[in-house]
Amino acid sequence: MPQLVILSGKGGTGKTSLTAALADLAWGDGPELVLVDADVDASNLDLVLNCQRVQQEVFQGRALAQIDPKLCSACGRCKEVCRFEAVIQDLTSFRIDSLACEGCAACLYECPENAIMMKPVNAGEWYISETDFGRLFHAHLYPAQENSGKLVAHIKRQALDFLEERAAGSWMLVDGPPGIGCPVISAISGADAVLAVTEPSLSGIHDLKRLLNTVDYFGVPSYVAVNKADIYPQGVQKIEALCRETGAVLLGKIPFDLDIPKSMAAGIPVTKFRPDGAAASSIKDLWINICQLKSSRNPRVQVLDYKIKID
């Protein structure tokens, strides 16, 4: 299924606001749209899509070691093999420090008494919600839990399973996490194209370069949208030069517009809040460019039209 992933090298560039607006523009204009909020550490796409949650499930991440005191002979072998110093010796017994345990299971395999088991940990929750613009798959990772990349992969898999049952031509719009870490790599996996949302600031340009290099490593075509493009024209020129250097395609520029924070506060996409506003008009132009990618002769442009997948 065609997948467009919206990413940003840093937080606060307007990635989620843009995703919500694109969902509004895409809905009802072609095949079915499925939304994924892959920012599982700080999911907020549901705040602007009028969600009605229809399913909630627990996500189990890594498994941690646990010693059964009834079976443990206190031989100390588990403490000897633990590289993370997660095995704590009391007066006559041993126990596992869950904060230090990495779940490697070395103690499990070395225990002569079979007194150790691996217990899965509830690391978060994932949800399916109905919105005004299609079904939304999103999740929440519990504080201090790992495996955000696995949780991203899990909700994308759930969305793909749902899409496989739909009509041909259905597609996925993913609001990805910021940065370039594991959850971003997981969000990129299987993507047909990435739209990087940036801003003309020193940190924005620096992090955009890191993001484009990351996406290029995985061989996914990159496109760029500049938010707040009118506040620092020299920065936009640097972004244009970076796009030429990396082969990314600049698809649109969105001006600074107070309609965006106002629409977020109102809980609706900016394209619905004020359809003829400066930001909404620019996003509509950007959407037209996304839909026209199929006609590009750029050899990097391989894949994304919101109606069909182009070979």
Side-chain angles (χ1 to χ4, degrees), residues 10-291:
K10 61 182 289 293
T13 63
K15 169 178 58 62
T16 297
S17 301
L18 179 59
T19 303
L22 294 179
D24 172 42
L25 295 175
W27 179 247
D29 186 16
E32 184 168 1
L33 170 66
V34 170
L35 301 163
V36 175
D37 188 345
D39 189 0
V40 298
D41 293 287
S43 174
N44 55 14
L45 182 60
D46 57 314
L47 299 179
V48 289
L49 294 182
N50 189 26
C51 285
Q52 299 294 325
R53 191 171 297 174
V54 296
Q55 185 174 339
Q56 177 174 332
E57 304 288 346
V58 172
F59 171 73
Q60 292 186 328
R62 58 180 177 168
L64 302 182
Q66 189 175 66
I67 298 176
D68 185 345
K70 295 179 181 180
L71 300 177
C72 178
S73 64
C75 68
R77 181 56 181 163
C78 53
K79 185 174 179 63
E80 293 176 6
V81 301
C82 182
R83 298 174 53 194
F84 306 101
E85 300 181 353
V87 180
I88 300 174
Q89 183 176 8
D90 294 327
L91 290 177
T92 59
S93 62
F94 291 84
R95 59 185 173 86
I96 303 295
D97 181 357
S98 60
L99 294 179
C101 180
E102 290 291 327
C104 68
C107 58
L108 170 73
Y109 295 112
E110 290 293 328
C111 179
E113 309 294 341
N114 294 323
I116 298 176
M117 65 188 74
M118 302 302 293
K119 183 177 180 180
V121 176
N122 292 342
E125 299 174 345
W126 63 274
Y127 319 104
I128 300 177
S129 296
E130 296 292 349
T131 79
D132 293 340
F133 314 105
R135 183 162 290 197
L136 170 65
F137 293 80
H138 52 128
H140 167 65
L141 190 72
Y142 292 154
Q145 291 297 326
E146 298 181 358
N147 292 330
S148 56
K150 289 185 178 179
L151 182 50
V152 171
H154 181 76
I155 59 173
K156 285 191 66 180
R157 181 68 260 170
Q158 296 297 320
L160 284 171
D161 289 344
F162 174 77
L163 276 176
E164 288 175 356
E165 302 175 357
R166 320 312 289 179
S170 300
W171 68 288
M172 182 189 299
L173 180 62
V174 181
D175 180 16
I180 58 170
C182 291
V184 171
I185 293 171
S186 185
I188 293 173
S189 177
D192 295 295
V194 164
L195 177 62
V197 184
T198 188
E199 57 187 14
S201 64
L202 291 178
S203 59
I205 296 169
H206 174 269
D207 291 338
L208 173 64
K209 184 175 183 179
R210 295 196 310 159
L211 176 61
L212 293 178
N213 289 338
T214 301
V215 175
D216 184 67
Y217 179 84
F218 291 97
V220 179
S222 299
Y223 306 93
V224 175
V226 184
N227 195 17
K228 307 172 188 175
D230 53 338
I231 63 174
Y232 182 32
Q234 294 86 346
V236 176
Q237 294 175 2
K238 294 179 180 180
I239 292 172
E240 291 172 339
L242 177 60
C243 288
R244 290 192 294 269
E245 174 187 338
T246 60
V249 179
L250 182 61
L251 286 187
K253 303 173 185 177
I254 305 168
F256 176 80
D257 190 345
L258 289 176
D259 283 350
I260 291 181
K262 290 179 180 178
S263 68
M264 296 293 284
I268 58 176
V270 67
T271 46
K272 274 194 175 300
F273 180 80
R274 196 184 303 276
D276 57 348
S281 298
S282 298
I283 293 173
K284 290 177 182 178
D285 292 339
L286 172 64
W287 174 241
I288 291 173
N289 290 335
I290 291 174
C291 295

